[in-house]
Amino acid sequence: MELIDTHCHLTFDELADDVEGVIERSKAAGVTGWITVGTDTQQNQRVLQLAERHENMYAAVGIHPHDAKDVTTETISELKKLAKNKKVVAIGETGLDFHYDFSPPSDQRRVFAAQLKIAAELNLPVIVHCREAFDETIDTLERFGSGVKKVVFHCFGGSVKQAKIVLDYGFYISFTGVVTFKNADPVRQAAKIVPLDKLMLETDCPYMSPEPMRKQKINEPALLIHTARCLAELKGLDLADFAKAVTATTTTFFALPDR
Ligand code: NI
């Protein structure tokens, strides 16, 4: 069985010091591919360096909505330059987050739109972060996403109704350990309606450790197996069959080399 963690932050401080150990434990658990995701200019440089050193590891570069307020035209052109590296398989994470409001909504929209433009120009998929901003995120994708061919809503925590809207647009949905949480019935209901050719898995580590490992403060790709197991069960599938299907979806979405 081979799973791909489509959204991990291996360069964040919690994981960076022991990244080789993290990768070894991941492989031992059957999680043999990684997309390590940048959130600002410095992290984008780091994810690229790390991906360049590891087989089956790829990078996504983007500016997180939390950091949107400091983004200038230079930040955007620097991002575009980095995105041309052959290890970059997506723009992200980018999007809107009105839960924390670390950056004003107008800045978040501006920076999200600029990244959609880069994705369209470079023909890269987009990893979307959306928190308490569902309608605005869909609206921004409609207005500024022309030419963007593939979009995934990462760390999906929405309802069945929202999942239907996302799927109607042809977008993909990625689930973290949140789907395993005891109080996450609405997310599990949503997961039930996502077809396997639109569904991907991620840890979003170092955050979001899945049950039954939720007490492990620092999540890591090895724990993706618990999220996979939970979703396979929801779908009434063997873990191996489920893994094969979602890995195929991931390979298509990010245009990864066949393995
Ligand atoms: Ni993330």
Side-chain angles (χ1 to χ4, degrees):
M1 187 189 66
E2 297 199 29
L3 290 168
I4 299 171
D5 186 347
T6 66
H7 191 119
C8 48
H9 298 288
L10 301 178
T11 55
F12 281 12
D13 289 346
E14 294 90 332
L15 297 167
D17 286 344
D18 181 32
V19 75
E20 298 307 324
V22 166
I23 290 167
E24 278 319 302
R25 290 191 291 280
S26 177
K27 285 182 187 167
V31 182
T32 56
W34 310 268
I35 293 162
T36 186
V37 177
T39 49
D40 59 27
T41 301
Q42 194 188 25
Q43 287 294 337
N44 289 334
Q45 286 162 349
R46 283 196 208 155
V47 294
L48 258 176
Q49 284 162 9
L50 189 69
E52 278 174 334
R53 291 208 310 271
H54 293 89
E55 212 183 328
N56 298 325
M57 188 184 292
Y58 302 91
V61 291
I63 311 289
H64 197 283
H66 290 344
D67 298 295
K69 64 178 183 313
D70 303 317
V71 170
T72 63
T73 46
E74 266 152 69
T75 323
I76 295 297
S77 50
E78 172 76 1
L79 176 68
K80 190 171 175 186
K81 214 188 292 168
L82 290 175
K84 289 176 180 165
N85 185 295
K86 65 178 182 354
K87 275 277 185 166
V88 170
V89 294
I91 296 296
E93 57 187 289
T94 176
L96 302 176
D97 191 319
F98 298 164
H99 177 74
Y100 288 107
D101 272 335
F102 287 149
S103 286
S106 57
D107 280 331
Q108 294 190 35
R109 282 235 201 205
R110 164 179 66 87
V111 172
F112 185 19
Q115 292 179 83
L116 291 174
K117 188 163 168 243
I118 294 175
E121 283 168 5
L122 301 182
N123 194 24
L124 286 167
V126 178
I127 299 173
V128 170
H129 172 109
C130 166
R131 189 150 184 211
E132 288 174 27
F134 186 79
D135 294 345
E136 296 86 347
T137 299
I138 292 286
D139 181 63
T140 309
L141 284 162
E142 270 205 345
R143 284 166 59 192
F144 301 99
S146 72
V148 175
K149 294 208 185 71
K150 288 185 257 178
V151 171
V152 61
F153 274 59
H154 113 88
C155 193
F156 190 80
S159 61
V160 170
K161 192 174 155 213
Q162 290 176 338
K164 276 188 185 146
I165 293 169
V166 171
L167 293 170
D168 280 345
Y169 278 94
F171 302 151
Y172 290 61
I173 294 180
S174 172
F175 292 98
T176 58
V178 167
V179 77
T180 69
F181 293 177
K182 288 186 179 70
N183 61 357
D185 248 332
V187 183
R188 280 186 287 276
Q189 294 308 320
K192 278 189 186 162
I193 68 150
V194 182
L196 293 181
D197 64 356
K198 292 288 179 189
L199 188 154
M200 295 192 283
L201 300 175
E202 60 171 297
T203 53
D204 203 13
C205 62
Y207 315 119
M208 307 283 175
S209 293
E211 292 289 3
M213 304 298 287
R214 201 170 169 185
K215 284 203 195 86
Q216 182 170 319
K217 280 219 178 69
I218 300 175
N219 191 11
E220 58 179 70
L223 302 189
L224 188 66
I225 192 76
H226 301 288
T227 303
R229 223 173 254 147
C230 168
L231 283 161
E233 212 168 286
L234 272 180
K235 298 280 184 194
L237 289 171
D238 266 7
L239 181 58
D241 293 338
F242 173 78
K244 200 173 170 196
V246 292
T247 297
T249 302
T250 302
T251 303
T252 305
F253 181 84
F254 291 103
L256 304 179
D258 279 328
R259 309 201 285 155

